[in-house]
Amino acid sequence: GVVLKILSDFTGMDSEEVHDAIKIKFLPNRDTKLFTTRSTSTLSTVQFEALMEEIRRWSAMELACSIPLPNEVSYDSD
């Protein structure tokens, strides 16, 4: 959605690359012997919003890229 689009535009990566990078950074699966990530589709609404907040905070601090809350701005995708 919007977060992927903003980060994709900001970094020059495509949405799929951004999605994969976010999963690696924020959703590692430590329950397996090999490195895997959890799927965002397995998250509850509360868990997903906590993830979005963590990404917004990280993006602001590490990338200097502001990601608005869902009700703050409309961001049309291409």
Side-chain angles (χ1 to χ4, degrees):
V2 174
V3 171
L4 293 179
K5 176 75 170 130
I6 291 171
L7 288 174
S8 178
D9 289 349
F10 187 82
T11 63
M13 297 167 67
D14 69 39
S15 303
E16 190 173 323
E17 291 172 318
V18 171
H19 188 248
D20 288 344
I22 284 172
K23 289 190 336 181
I24 290 167
K25 179 154 187 70
F26 297 103
L27 295 172
N29 184 358
R30 301 187 199 301
D31 295 334
T32 61
K33 291 185 189 273
L34 296 174
F35 180 81
T36 60
T37 60
R38 293 172 41 210
S39 172
T40 54
S41 67
T42 66
L43 302 177
S44 70
T45 302
V46 171
Q47 290 170 320
F48 188 79
E49 186 46 45
L51 172 64
M52 292 297 105
E53 181 55 34
E54 191 174 359
I55 292 168
R56 283 190 285 273
R57 189 173 29 258
W58 167 80
S59 178
M61 292 173 48
E62 298 294 324
L63 302 178
C65 175
S66 178
I67 299 173
L69 293 169
N71 61 344
E72 290 181 326
V73 173
S74 80
Y75 193 88
D76 296 325
S77 60
D78 296 332

